[in-house]
Amino acid sequence: MLLWFVILYLALSVGIGLWAALKVKNSRDFAVAGRHLSFPIVTATVFATWFGAETVLGLSATFLKDGLKATASDPFGASMCLILAGLFFARPLYRLNMLTIGDFFRIRYNRVIEILCTVCIVISYLGWVSAQIRALGLVFFIISNGQISEHTGMIVGSLIVLTYTAFGGMLSVAILDFVQMVVIMAGLLGIAWFVSSLPEVGGIGNVITHAHAQGKFEFWPKQNAQWLPFIAAWLTMMLGSIPQQDVFQRMTSAKDENTAVNSTVLGGSLYFLFAFVPMMLAYSALLVAPQKFQALVATDAHKVLPTLILEHTPLLAQVFFFGALLSAIMSTSSATLLAPSITFSENILKGFFPKLTDQAFLRMIRITLVIFAICVLIYALQSNASIHQMVENAYKITLVAAFVPLAAGLFWKKASTQGALWAMLGGLSVWIAMETLTTASFREAWPPQLWGLSTAILGMGLGSIMPQWYKAPPLTPEQAKELAMPEASPN
């Protein structure tokens, strides 16, 4: 019965997405929903995009095993990324009226920087999207009682998400995100109320008290040697996620820049608050059946929360939970499939076809989307990393390669093309060298991404103030006007 409810929900989601696709008339509709989304819709799509498999399954599993101290990257770093992006980056980026974040690197620097940053951004999405596909496979495996294997579930889930994303683009994603945010919030709050009322649990206060007694709320490092890894995990998500197409896409889909700012900040704040709900739900399992779930934590902690719901709640509660879980995974999957496909098409492929019509460009995006989905599926089927690790590792490359050129390009007038090139090449080279040439214990104590970030900052500074051997072509009058950050004209 549960499986049929899930199938019905998936069919409705695809139907809504295909209905929204009827309103897509050009590439701008497909990429940024025509820049006319309202405050509630943008808030919903910011929240729903980030509230995915990592939050419900990965974060709850990490909390059960290592406590709050292991969650510096997510939700703390992840929510701070959205809040910082809204406060400091949304307004200037919105005014530029661009299709992708890669466009900024071309306008501010040159074509070479655009291509290098775009490649790094696209690669970073591989791990994040794969984590969502892995989670879809796990959900199908659990609700079918093992009749659908995890690999088969990944394939089916990929096809479902790909269908409505390829047809409707950002417009379909935004409308579905609004629906899915409502399902996520209502479902998780309802489940939290039901589970906390179980006699074995004794209320949410008892869950918090028990978790605190077990040291699960210890957050700050106790030893000096733990501080660098802690800071690295926080910065990787907080700063490495800012130069991402999905964040840019949501901000610039808003109807005006105030909506872009306010909805991004609110979406990030809601994400932080709701991220604790699955953590508390998962910990409740240790009160319901301590021995059984402790054993499951040791073998596969990702299955603790869905197993608790399947075995200790009625059918209605199961429908709410898995509806919320599928909403979380699908909203993130669609957004993170769409973002790199648009970026790769706009900032790499389109440059080789200067006379491309808008309809041909739209077709190019959809073909790229299908190819990227296949690559993600192959990676997900072969990877052995945990969901949390796949997401956290995804942002290291953008942290060391793209964040410094973006931030310096927006807020430092002396930032030059030579500085951007030195920052990117230096940050990437040092990070890759530290990842491949050092021991695991050294990398744990001295995180490679911090070395890469520090080198990128140094490279930008030195490359911009030293004699300019590598210069960008002169800006056109239109580009100079754009980078002057004028007030955005009303839509």
Side-chain angles (χ1 to χ4, degrees):
M1 182 64 71
L2 175 61
L3 182 60
W4 282 108
F5 274 115
V6 168
I7 292 172
L8 177 62
Y9 178 75
L10 293 174
L12 287 173
S13 297
V14 172
I16 293 173
L18 294 179
W19 170 78
L22 298 175
K23 301 180 181 295
V24 175
K25 306 301 181 184
N26 52 50
S27 60
R28 186 161 290 270
D29 287 342
F30 192 85
V32 291
R35 285 169 65 98
H36 60 244
L37 297 183
S38 63
F39 175 77
I41 297 294
V42 179
T43 302
T45 193
V46 169
F47 170 85
T49 295
W50 282 61
F51 202 97
E54 150 66 5
T55 315
V56 181
L57 299 179
L59 190 55
S60 60
T62 300
F63 178 76
L64 288 176
K65 292 191 293 184
D66 302 314
L68 207 61
K69 63 179 180 290
T71 65
S73 61
D74 193 7
F76 292 92
S79 57
M80 280 303 300
C81 162
L82 294 173
I83 293 171
L84 290 176
L87 292 176
F88 298 105
F89 291 83
R91 204 174 296 275
L93 287 175
Y94 187 90
R95 292 173 183 177
L96 290 174
N97 194 25
M98 302 176 299
L99 196 66
T100 70
I101 190 71
D103 290 342
F104 172 82
F105 297 106
R106 182 185 67 252
I107 296 170
R108 182 63 174 83
Y109 302 114
N110 68 1
R111 172 72 171 154
V112 173
I113 304 300
E114 174 193 17
I115 292 175
L116 289 174
C117 281
T118 299
V119 170
C120 292
I121 290 169
V122 170
I123 291 173
S124 72
Y125 277 99
L126 193 61
W128 192 11
V129 189
S130 297
Q132 314 309 314
I133 301 303
R134 281 272 304 276
L136 280 173
L138 179 63
V139 170
F140 279 112
F141 175 79
I142 291 174
I143 62 177
S144 68
N145 198 24
Q147 295 181 17
I148 300 176
S149 70
E150 290 192 39
H151 283 188
T152 302
M154 291 183 203
I155 296 171
V156 172
S158 299
L159 289 173
I160 292 170
V161 174
L162 179 62
T163 298
Y164 69 78
T165 307
F167 280 99
M170 184 61 194
L171 198 57
S172 288
V173 170
I175 293 173
L176 272 171
D177 278 353
F178 182 78
V179 175
Q180 288 163 343
M181 188 188 81
V182 174
V183 175
I184 291 168
M185 288 183 168
L188 286 180
L189 289 177
I191 288 295
W193 174 82
F194 180 85
V195 171
S196 64
S197 65
L198 292 174
E200 301 91 338
V201 177
I204 188 63
N206 189 47
V207 175
I208 295 174
T209 301
H210 195 279
H212 183 270
Q214 297 298 315
K216 294 298 183 181
F217 289 123
E218 293 179 0
F219 183 66
W220 301 108
K222 292 184 176 180
Q223 301 176 10
N224 291 336
Q226 297 173 339
W227 273 100
L228 274 182
F230 179 84
I231 293 171
W234 198 320
L235 289 180
T236 299
M237 290 287 283
M238 183 170 64
L239 302 183
S241 304
I242 290 177
Q244 290 283 9
Q245 175 64 15
D246 63 280
V247 177
F248 170 84
Q249 211 167 15
R250 271 129 198 84
M251 295 187 297
T252 54
S253 296
K255 64 181 181 179
D256 54 58
E257 64 182 66
N258 287 329
T259 300
V261 172
N262 297 332
S263 57
T264 305
V265 172
L266 179 58
S269 302
L270 288 174
Y271 174 80
F272 179 78
L273 294 174
F274 269 82
F276 288 92
V277 178
M279 284 193 274
M280 293 300 98
L281 274 173
Y283 194 85
S284 300
L286 302 182
L287 302 180
V288 173
Q291 292 184 345
K292 174 184 177 179
F293 284 108
Q294 285 286 7
L296 194 55
V297 168
T299 56
D300 190 352
H302 294 120
K303 295 180 180 178
V304 169
L305 185 51
T307 302
L308 170 70
I309 302 303
L310 272 179
E311 297 184 0
H312 297 275
T313 63
L315 178 62
L316 182 60
Q318 294 172 24
V319 170
F320 272 108
F321 173 78
F322 284 101
L325 178 57
L326 283 169
S327 294
I329 297 172
M330 290 170 61
S331 60
T332 303
S333 300
S334 57
T336 50
L337 273 176
L338 183 65
S341 303
I342 292 174
T343 304
F344 190 80
S345 301
E346 164 74 6
N347 301 113
I348 294 182
L349 295 180
K350 191 177 180 181
F352 298 103
F353 304 94
K355 297 183 179 180
L356 198 68
T357 65
D358 187 74
Q359 288 302 311
F361 177 54
L362 182 57
R363 187 163 55 250
M364 176 189 289
I365 296 175
R366 284 172 166 151
I367 294 172
T368 305
L369 183 66
V370 173
I371 294 172
F372 187 73
I374 294 172
C375 294
V376 165
L377 180 60
I378 293 172
Y379 181 77
L381 291 171
Q382 296 180 344
S383 177
N384 293 320
S386 71
I387 292 174
H388 185 82
Q389 289 172 331
M390 293 172 80
V391 173
E392 186 175 352
N393 291 338
Y395 299 108
K396 292 179 180 179
I397 187 171
T398 45
L399 176 70
V400 303
F403 174 74
V404 172
L406 173 64
L410 282 173
F411 304 116
W412 189 35
K413 291 183 179 180
K414 292 185 178 181
S416 68
T417 301
Q418 178 175 280
L421 185 65
W422 287 18
M424 292 188 64
L425 296 181
L428 281 171
S429 300
V430 170
W431 171 61
I432 293 172
M434 296 292 290
E435 287 280 7
T436 56
L437 302 179
T438 59
T439 63
S441 58
F442 184 90
R443 292 194 298 271
E444 185 176 351
W446 301 91
Q449 66 266 39
L450 286 187
W451 290 84
L453 176 62
S454 302
T455 305
I457 294 172
L458 182 63
M460 174 59 77
L462 292 177
S464 297
I465 63 176
M466 290 179 68
Q468 301 298 295
W469 296 296
Y470 181 73
K471 298 181 180 180
L475 292 177
T476 65
E478 291 77 14
Q479 290 173 330
K481 184 179 179 180
E482 285 178 335
L483 289 173
M485 304 299 180
E487 290 297 324
S489 58
N491 289 319

